[in-house]
Amino acid sequence: MTPMTSFDRSQPVGVFDSGLGGLTVLHECLVTLPHEDFVYFGDTGHFPYGGRTPEELTAFSFEMAEQLLREGAKLIVVACNTATAAALPALRAEYAGHVEVIGVISPEARQAGEATRNGRVGLLATEATVASGAYERALAEVAPDATLVPVACPGLAPLIQREGLIDQLVVDEVEQACEPLREADVDTVILGCTHYPLVRAVIQRALGRGVRIVTSGHAIADDVDRALQAAGLANDQTRRGGYRFLCSGDPESFRRMGTRFLQLPLGEVRHVEVAATRELVAARSEGRP
Amino acid sequence: MTPMTSFDRSQPVGVFDSGLGGLTVLHECLVTLPHEDFVYFGDTGHFPYGGRTPEELTAFSFEMAEQLLREGAKLIVVACNTATAAALPALRAEYAGHVEVIGVISPEARQAGEATRNGRVGLLATEATVASGAYERALAEVAPDATLVPVACPGLAPLIQREGLIDQLVVDEVEQACEPLREADVDTVILGCTHYPLVRAVIQRALGRGVRIVTSGHAIADDVDRALQAAGLANDQTRRGGYRFLCSGDPESFRRMGTRFLQLPLGEVRHVEVAATRELVAARSEGRP
């Protein structure tokens, strides 16, 4: 672990993800907290995370968290469902007392638990996220009487990641995914993958107007705000913050595709390796002091 | 005027605009009212409307309204600020008792009047819209004590209409436009041009988190809903609606650019001329029975 000194409120918030999807989370943070600085790290060199082992995912996550701490992060956001499910407890244990780590899943589950009136909450997510059962556990904590109706959408994130436009393929995929949610009469749906807010309009039309959609981005931005306030680390609200990017893949491709996810200009994008060696993976899986 | 028969609730809602901007209004209608059918008419052959005379704008507006009625529209939405300012009273007078015509400006003014706490409301709009004074009048009707701080942004809509991405040019233009709004300490800002929702995140960052943004699309979707309910013309909420497009310019260019504005797939786009002849313009400006 990087030795910790006390943080200054002028330091940036660090955000990491398997690639580009977490930029929809960063988008909400930038809109909600325009006075904070952000550093985003996308592990585009290892995207997608779907087929990785928990050990690999934990090793990648620690690599990125350490890099963000070297960049001066005062708080770390895991803006990836797969990495949150695999590594959040380990990250929190490692950095306890030093730096707060906020992940997806719990914030959306809390918002969904508060929003539902009929106790039936839908989930759209990748196969890995659905299989992890993480949303069931998170929802049970905040709304024990609520029922989660999870739907795995293996094809949707790749369709959205294409450079193409929102087309009939996307609509068909969304319609198919929403069919069981309509049949289950859910009144609230969690978008459990950070790619999905890019097709939110398609999803809302498929679900119908009465259904409330909860996204990771909006829920996390609130949590980041609360955490910074509570720690006395919130920056001066009258200033204008900045943001910059690290990625483990091709920076030019990150810049070209990223604007669509961020809906803001991408500025500096720097290449940084995420080198999770076998030794590192082994060390992580054996546990660290 | 096209002879009117009584409407059936299964008929579509007609929406027209000078080009593509109104698609952000249609977007909100499609998300809010997924069970209704819509026909959208974009006068891309005459875009932009900024430099047109009121007589021309009125003639174009009637041409499009008549076409939408031929397409079976049960309600007409003027999704263009310039056309609303120039032609809404004439359209309403012409179709009174036959078909309801809803325009922009009043719905946003009402939402802004309800939202403001300190009575200072900002407006970002084109030069023509600011010069018309239409938002001052609309705000004065609903919130007589509120003050409007209008800012003309002549360069912003063309920057957004470019096929390129959101870049530093857009950010600089937005920052410059928002500077007087920050100085005036407004707590609510109306996006008085249908192009601006595409850079909503840039605007929100420039204004700061405490400022509420009001858009035409959201305000109009509520008005369309209310009007259809009141007239007994709301469609069955369990069905899935469709939408299609007419444009007076090149359909291929409309389809290519339109998806970015609509954030949904563009389906059928048909070319229809908007032929506002000198004779027609003269007839309109002399008044019609």
Side-chain angles (χ1 to χ4, degrees):
Chain A
M1 192 181 71
T2 306
M4 292 287 137
T5 53
S6 64
F7 293 112
D8 186 275
R9 66 183 191 141
S10 69
Q11 290 176 246
V13 174
V15 180
F16 76 81
D17 175 51
S18 59
L20 296 162
L23 292 173
T24 65
V25 173
L26 181 64
H27 166 88
E28 290 292 340
C29 289
L30 290 173
V31 168
T32 307
L33 305 166
H35 54 285
E36 296 289 349
D37 293 327
F38 289 85
V39 189
Y40 179 97
F41 197 167
D43 191 8
T44 45
H46 293 118
F47 179 85
Y49 272 11
R52 306 273 177 185
T53 65
E55 290 73 23
E56 275 180 307
L57 293 168
T58 304
F60 295 156
S61 296
F62 271 100
E63 281 287 299
M64 285 190 281
E66 292 286 328
Q67 179 68 36
L68 289 172
L69 291 172
R70 284 191 292 274
E71 304 281 333
K74 63 183 173 185
L75 177 84
I76 289 175
V77 177
V78 188
C80 171
N81 296 76
T82 316
T84 295
L88 186 65
L91 289 162
R92 282 193 169 149
E94 177 86 0
Y95 299 126
H98 296 284
V99 60
E100 190 161 351
V101 185
I102 290 179
V104 285
I105 301 179
S106 288
E108 304 96 89
R110 197 188 58 245
Q111 285 208 344
E114 288 166 4
T116 184
R117 294 167 304 284
N118 71 8
R120 286 190 286 280
V121 174
L123 169 69
L124 299 174
T126 62
E127 279 175 305
T129 302
V130 167
S132 76
Y135 276 103
E136 269 93 346
R137 290 191 294 277
L139 186 65
E141 265 184 38
V142 291
D145 297 333
T147 307
L148 190 78
V149 182
V151 176
C153 318
L156 191 53
L159 275 178
I160 295 169
Q161 178 105 10
R162 291 174 312 164
E163 300 210 28
L165 293 165
I166 299 170
D167 58 14
Q168 197 54 42
L169 283 175
V170 172
V171 174
D172 293 345
E173 189 80 15
V174 167
E175 289 284 344
Q176 195 188 329
C178 291
E179 185 62 36
L181 299 181
R182 278 198 305 272
E183 277 169 17
D185 191 30
V186 301
D187 71 353
T188 305
V189 171
I190 297 169
L191 304 192
C193 169
T194 51
H195 280 69
Y196 300 170
L198 271 81
V199 296
R200 184 185 178 135
V202 183
I203 296 170
Q204 186 74 65
R205 272 178 67 76
L207 292 171
R209 63 183 305 197
V211 176
R212 164 88 176 269
I213 289 177
V214 173
T215 65
S216 309
H218 200 80
I220 282 229
D222 284 353
D223 269 33
V224 170
D225 187 25
R226 263 195 295 267
L228 292 176
Q229 301 279 355
L233 288 174
N235 216 327
D236 173 12
Q237 289 218 11
T238 62
R239 73 186 285 278
R240 191 68 48 80
Y243 51 91
R244 56 200 175 83
F245 302 89
L246 315 174
C247 74
S248 59
D250 172 38
E252 198 39 59
S253 150
F254 186 96
R255 194 178 287 114
R256 199 177 59 248
M257 309 256 304
T259 311
R260 192 159 61 94
F261 285 77
L262 193 64
Q263 295 173 57
L264 286 163
L266 283 237
E268 183 196 329
V269 182
R270 209 170 89 227
H271 177 84
V272 175
E273 283 295 335
V274 174
T277 60
R278 273 173 205 280
E279 293 68 29
L280 188 64
V281 170
R284 292 285 177 206
S285 64
E286 282 160 14
R288 299 183 60 191
Chain B
M1 193 179 71
T2 306
M4 291 287 136
T5 53
S6 65
F7 292 113
D8 186 274
R9 66 183 191 142
S10 70
Q11 291 177 245
V13 174
V15 179
F16 76 81
D17 176 51
S18 60
L20 297 161
L23 292 172
T24 65
V25 173
L26 182 64
H27 167 89
E28 290 294 339
C29 288
L30 290 172
V31 168
T32 308
L33 305 166
H35 54 286
E36 297 288 349
D37 294 326
F38 289 85
V39 188
Y40 179 96
F41 196 167
D43 192 9
T44 44
H46 293 118
F47 179 85
Y49 272 11
R52 305 276 176 183
T53 65
E55 289 74 24
E56 275 180 308
L57 294 167
T58 303
F60 295 157
S61 297
F62 271 100
E63 281 287 299
M64 285 191 282
E66 293 285 328
Q67 179 69 35
L68 289 172
L69 291 172
R70 283 191 292 273
E71 304 281 333
K74 63 183 173 185
L75 177 85
I76 289 176
V77 177
V78 187
C80 171
N81 297 77
T82 315
T84 295
L88 186 64
L91 289 162
R92 282 194 169 149
E94 178 85 0
Y95 298 126
H98 296 284
V99 60
E100 190 160 350
V101 185
I102 290 179
V104 286
I105 301 179
S106 288
E108 305 96 89
R110 197 187 60 243
Q111 284 208 345
E114 288 166 3
T116 183
R117 295 167 303 283
N118 70 8
R120 285 190 288 281
V121 175
L123 169 69
L124 299 174
T126 62
E127 280 175 305
T129 302
V130 168
S132 77
Y135 276 103
E136 270 94 346
R137 290 191 295 277
L139 187 66
E141 265 184 37
V142 291
D145 296 334
T147 306
L148 191 79
V149 183
V151 176
C153 318
L156 191 53
L159 275 177
I160 295 168
Q161 178 105 10
R162 291 174 313 165
E163 301 210 27
L165 293 165
I166 299 170
D167 58 13
Q168 197 55 41
L169 283 176
V170 172
V171 174
D172 293 344
E173 188 81 14
V174 166
E175 289 286 344
Q176 194 187 330
C178 290
E179 185 62 37
L181 299 182
R182 279 198 304 273
E183 277 170 17
D185 191 30
V186 301
D187 71 354
T188 305
V189 171
I190 298 169
L191 304 192
C193 169
T194 51
H195 280 69
Y196 300 170
L198 271 80
V199 296
R200 185 185 177 135
V202 183
I203 296 170
Q204 186 75 65
R205 272 178 67 77
L207 292 171
R209 64 184 306 199
V211 176
R212 164 89 176 270
I213 289 177
V214 173
T215 65
S216 309
H218 200 79
I220 283 230
D222 284 353
D223 269 32
V224 170
D225 188 24
R226 264 196 294 268
L228 291 176
Q229 300 279 356
L233 289 174
N235 215 328
D236 172 12
Q237 289 217 12
T238 62
R239 72 186 288 278
R240 191 68 48 79
Y243 50 91
R244 56 201 175 82
F245 302 89
L246 314 175
C247 74
S248 59
D250 172 38
E252 198 38 61
S253 151
F254 186 96
R255 193 177 287 112
R256 199 178 58 249
M257 309 256 303
T259 311
R260 192 160 60 93
F261 284 78
L262 192 65
Q263 295 174 57
L264 286 164
L266 284 237
E268 181 197 331
V269 182
R270 209 170 90 227
H271 178 84
V272 175
E273 284 294 336
V274 174
T277 61
R278 273 175 205 281
E279 293 69 28
L280 189 65
V281 169
R284 292 286 177 205
S285 63
E286 282 160 16
R288 298 184 60 191

